[in-house]
Amino acid sequence: MRRAIYPGSFDPITKGHLDVIKRAATLFDELVVAVAFNMQKQTLFPADERVALIEEAVAGESNIRVTRFEGLLVNFARDQEASVVVRGLRAISDFEFEFQMALMNRKLEPAIETVFLTPREEYTYLSSRIVKEVARLGGNIEAFVPVSVASALRARFARAES
Ligand code: ADP
């Protein structure tokens, strides 16, 4: 049984993340999408809402589980009996940070391997940050995020304006 973890902030999930999730789910027996809960990091959506939005986007996929986690990723991976951490690589700009994280995690837990996946070309420019920025300014974000995320973003920013 090969279990992999895909950790991230997912604030909120985009079609780029979803593309990575679907690819990873074909490579491993089970994929745990792990939503990082970090008191220090300000997010637009609380962790439970980020989990719910991902659950809605992957509904019906039997080997994908969504959960939140706190603390050190390698400890969480050990608890989950996962041997692989999946991360997405969009461009060279991701590389330095991802490389550093992968090597640090290997130092902390040599038994866990980091695997990098690249999304479809059309999603390589997507990030949660840019989607939030477009949504905040009233732009159309339907092409970049699942339907439920688009409505959650609209609701969030409509509330902010009123
Ligand atoms: P974090 O705060 O951990 O970087 P993110 O939610 O921003 O969390 O990203 C989680 C992972 O998904 C990271 O490895 C990131 O590089 C990757 N990722 C984010 N957006 C995309 C995308 N459009 N295509 C592929 N991978 C992506």
Side-chain angles (χ1 to χ4, degrees):
M1 168 82 172
R2 259 210 189 278
R3 184 176 293 128
I5 292 187
Y6 179 30
S9 309
F10 305 105
D11 183 41
I13 187 164
T14 68
K15 288 191 177 174
H17 292 127
L18 259 185
D19 184 290
V20 169
I21 290 173
K22 299 232 164 101
R23 282 169 206 282
T26 66
L27 294 175
F28 303 102
D29 299 313
E30 188 180 49
L31 181 71
V32 180
V33 182
V35 176
F37 173 73
N38 180 351
M39 289 284 273
Q40 259 72 272
K41 206 165 165 182
Q42 269 263 300
T43 55
L44 181 65
F45 295 102
D48 292 342
E49 198 172 345
R50 284 179 272 145
V51 168
L53 288 170
I54 302 172
E55 274 172 343
E56 216 173 316
V58 301
E61 309 274 351
S62 57
N63 70 332
I64 302 175
R65 194 150 53 79
V66 189
T67 184
R68 52 183 261 176
F69 83 102
E70 251 174 286
L72 216 47
L73 176 64
V74 290
N75 292 345
F76 177 72
R78 227 181 277 132
D79 292 346
Q80 296 281 317
E81 296 179 355
S83 53
V84 172
V85 168
V86 171
R87 295 286 288 178
L89 270 189
R90 287 161 289 191
I92 298 169
S93 52
D94 279 337
F95 181 79
E96 200 170 335
F97 175 68
E98 294 294 341
F99 183 72
Q100 190 180 23
M101 281 256 297
L103 291 181
M104 176 53 89
N105 284 335
R106 180 179 287 162
K107 274 270 181 263
L108 296 170
E109 179 47 90
I112 294 172
E113 206 61 71
T114 302
V115 168
F116 295 104
L117 295 177
T118 310
R120 263 161 77 167
E121 231 171 284
E122 63 201 85
Y123 298 140
T124 51
Y125 65 93
L126 270 187
S127 69
S128 300
R129 189 190 55 77
I130 204 163
V131 167
K132 282 182 283 193
E133 188 62 10
V134 172
R136 191 176 65 79
L137 297 170
N140 201 333
I141 35 124
E142 265 74 16
F144 316 130
V145 292
V147 182
S148 51
V149 173
S151 12
L153 280 167
R154 269 195 304 270
R156 188 50 63 104
F157 289 116
R159 217 177 305 146
E161 267 164 30
S162 58

